[in-house]
Structure formats: structure tokens, C-alpha cells
Amino acid sequence: MKVEVLLSTYNGERYLNELLESISDQKFNGDIELLIRDDGSSDKTFQIVDSWKNKLNIKFIKGKNLGPRDSFGELIKHANLDFDYFAFCDQDDVWFDNKLDFAIKKIRGMNRTLYFSNVQLVDSDLNPLGSNRDRIRPVLSLEGVITANPALGCTMVMDRELMRELKQVKLTPFFMHDVAAIMLAASTGHIKYELQPSMMYRQHIESVTQGHDFWKNIKNKVDFWFFQPNISISKEVDEILTNFEENINDDHTKDVLIQVKNYRQGINRFKLAVNKKFRVNSTASNRSFILRVILGVA
């Protein structure tokens, strides 16, 4: 059994050793290859990666700065389909030692299946913040996934067939690698979730501070909704319908995708906005989805 871990690095010298040590410590009865693409680092990231080549099986790609979306897009292009399973990883993660083993046991024998998990929230120095990201299980229906992506990409593990599909998806500023992966799994396969955390997830002071700035959050959301190019859930589902229709789970799934694809036509946006199946456990996420649909910017 072989797993390929996809990691994009960028000036990661502060945290990278802790991540690589946690991958090296995995209690996993199989082979792990770490596929790393560096996104134009100017610090000691390369030297740190090189120092781990005696302990980890590392394949390294040195690239120019593309940003997270396109860097992970390049990693997906280079993912080796000779492997059985694939995992995404961020450079400031710290994995628990059973992360891979537990995930693969949950999806072994299944086809087109995505696993993701909860995370333990910690500060930049790995001090626990006293809570996990999810307090209850997220909504995993296709409608729920469309309303608000419940998954952190850094916890995702998937099988070969789902990665094969993911390789065919055109990523956009909104259709990130993790969003595309869970949308595919919800449409053509299966999703497995674990409420127990699989890793420590750093909350850097910048993101914590920004999270409490109400008006800055509002401005960022308005800018994101109205001024980002290619942001369109309807285009995302159209791509799935166009490229993977033969793999779609059932008629209900197809109907949901068609409804979202055509939501801007006539009164369809209001029908979608009031459809209570498009609801998750977060009031803020529900309100955001409804508003974006009514305004036609979802």
C-alpha cells in the first residue's frame, strides 16, 4: 500500500521541520512518498527539505511563485497514479502519528472516496487553544457541500480514482484543489468524516486578529463576491456535469447539479435561496449562501 503526500512550500523554514518530523513519525504500514513543490521560496526551505531526504522518500519540484491554487494544481498534475492513496498537506501542519493509518482504514475498499477530519486548534507555538474546529459533525450532503465547504484540504485523504478525476478539473480562483476534491466526491463518489482531530492546526495571530475585525471581514467578503474573476458555483457544477456525468451517483445528484448550474435563470435563484436542503450548521454560512444566490454572485 502506497500513499503520496502532496505539499506546497513557500518560505516555510519556521515550521517545516515540525511537519516533516510528524510525517516521519507516522505509524503506517505502507510506503509514503512526499511530493513537494516549492513555490519560489527565498529562505532555507530547500535546505530543510534536503536535510530530510535520508529519513523520508521525497520527490522535490522547484518552481516559480504561482500562489497556493496553482502550486497545488501543479502538484495534482504530477501526482503519480501508481500510488493507492493521496493526501494534501500544508507546511505549518503537525500531524498526529495515526493520521494516515486511520484515514486509509476508513476508506479502504471504497471507490472515489474522500476522507477528511476535524483538527485541534493551536497557536503558532503549538499551544492548544482549548477547542477543535468542528464541535459537531458537518453536513456532508451535496447540497451542504455546495452551501459551504466543510473540509480543510490539509486533512484530506483520497483514493486513486478520485485523484484521477481531480486531475481533469480546471482550477479557478474559487475552485481550489480542496473545493474541487470534495465537490467531486459528493457528486461522483463518497465522503467520510472523522470528528476526532487528526492534526494540530495553527491559528496564526494575523488570522485570529482579522477574524475579530467585523467590518474588515464584511469588506473582504464584498470584494471577494463582486470583484474576483471566475467565481461561480454554476460554472463549477457545469464542469462536473460536462466531464463526469457518467460517474454521477444518482438522479437526485444530477438534479441538484442542474438546479445550481441554472440558478441565475428567471426565478431559479429565489427557488435555490429558499431550498432548505441547502443549509449547514452555521447560521453565518447559510446567510452568506442565500445572499450570494439572490444577488447572483454565488
Side-chain angles (χ1 to χ4, degrees):
M1 186 162 47
K2 300 189 298 181
V3 181
E4 190 169 53
V5 178
L6 278 57
L7 167 64
S8 176
T9 57
Y10 178 70
N11 290 343
E13 64 179 7
R14 180 176 176 184
Y15 304 115
L16 195 51
N17 272 314
E18 291 171 317
L19 165 67
L20 297 178
E21 183 175 2
S22 72
I23 294 177
S24 178
D25 289 342
Q26 288 297 294
K27 296 177 180 178
F28 174 68
N29 187 24
D31 297 325
I32 302 174
E33 178 182 273
L34 192 53
L35 176 61
I36 302 176
R37 182 191 181 276
D38 186 72
D39 199 34
S41 292
S42 58
D43 64 356
K44 296 180 180 178
T45 292
F46 176 77
Q47 292 91 322
I48 292 172
V49 171
D50 195 59
S51 71
W52 279 90
K53 286 187 175 179
N54 291 329
K55 295 182 180 180
L56 290 167
N57 179 16
I58 295 175
K59 182 178 179 181
F60 188 80
I61 304 168
K62 199 168 186 178
K64 63 181 181 180
N65 184 253
L66 300 175
R69 180 200 76 216
D70 289 337
S71 187
F72 269 103
E74 288 296 310
L75 283 165
I76 290 167
K77 288 179 185 177
H78 286 88
N80 184 351
L81 292 178
D82 290 336
F83 283 77
D84 303 296
Y85 299 97
F86 301 84
F88 292 134
C89 183
D90 291 339
Q91 65 185 10
D92 56 351
D93 296 347
V94 174
W95 289 11
F96 295 155
D97 61 10
N98 66 341
K99 181 179 188 293
L100 283 179
D101 184 66
F102 188 88
I104 290 170
K105 284 179 179 177
K106 291 279 277 189
I107 65 175
R108 185 181 296 167
M110 303 187 71
N111 199 26
R112 297 193 188 93
T113 304
L114 176 77
Y115 163 95
F116 74 100
S117 78
N118 205 352
V119 295
Q120 180 187 15
L121 301 180
V122 297
D123 67 15
S124 296
D125 297 317
L126 300 181
N127 298 307
L129 296 177
S131 64
N132 299 329
R133 179 178 184 259
D134 301 331
R135 296 182 180 180
I136 59 175
R137 293 179 64 84
V139 177
L140 301 182
S141 65
L142 175 58
E143 294 94 331
V145 168
I146 290 172
T147 301
N149 174 22
L152 289 171
C154 55
T155 71
M156 288 180 173
V157 179
M158 71 194 74
D159 70 288
R160 180 192 295 127
E161 290 307 310
L162 190 61
M163 176 56 74
R164 192 189 306 275
E165 288 188 347
L166 190 57
K167 280 176 168 285
Q168 302 173 50
V169 174
K170 181 180 178 182
L171 302 180
T172 69
F174 186 65
F175 213 20
M176 294 283 287
H177 62 285
D178 51 353
V179 177
I182 198 166
M183 286 273 287
L184 277 172
S187 301
T188 70
H190 312 277
I191 301 173
K192 293 290 184 179
Y193 170 78
E194 176 56 44
L195 189 61
Q196 185 71 19
S198 66
M199 52 170 274
M200 289 182 278
Y201 186 70
R202 280 188 167 97
Q203 299 288 282
H204 299 290
I205 187 168
E206 296 86 359
S207 60
V208 172
T209 302
Q210 182 178 350
H212 291 291
D213 191 331
F214 176 79
W215 291 111
K216 188 172 183 178
N217 284 340
I218 293 295
K219 181 182 182 301
N220 288 342
K221 286 182 178 179
V222 170
D223 289 345
F224 187 72
W225 293 352
F226 288 99
F227 302 113
Q228 285 287 337
N230 302 320
I231 296 176
S232 173
I233 296 176
S234 59
K235 289 181 180 178
E236 294 167 11
V237 299
D238 184 40
E239 183 164 353
I240 291 174
L241 283 166
T242 301
N243 296 321
F244 308 105
E245 185 173 3
E246 70 278 6
N247 297 333
I248 290 175
N249 289 331
D250 50 42
D251 290 340
H252 171 73
T253 299
K254 189 173 181 179
D255 290 343
V256 170
L257 293 173
I258 291 172
Q259 180 185 6
V260 175
K261 174 187 173 182
N262 299 324
Y263 89 92
R264 289 191 179 94
Q265 298 175 8
I267 64 170
N268 288 349
R269 68 178 64 185
F270 298 102
K271 289 182 178 180
L272 181 60
V274 300
N275 188 336
K276 292 186 178 180
K277 291 184 177 180
F278 289 85
R279 300 291 184 269
V280 294
N281 296 324
S282 165
T283 301
S285 294
N286 292 333
R287 287 174 179 169
S288 173
F289 178 77
I290 293 168
L291 182 58
R292 286 183 292 126
V293 167
I294 291 175
L295 294 175
V297 296

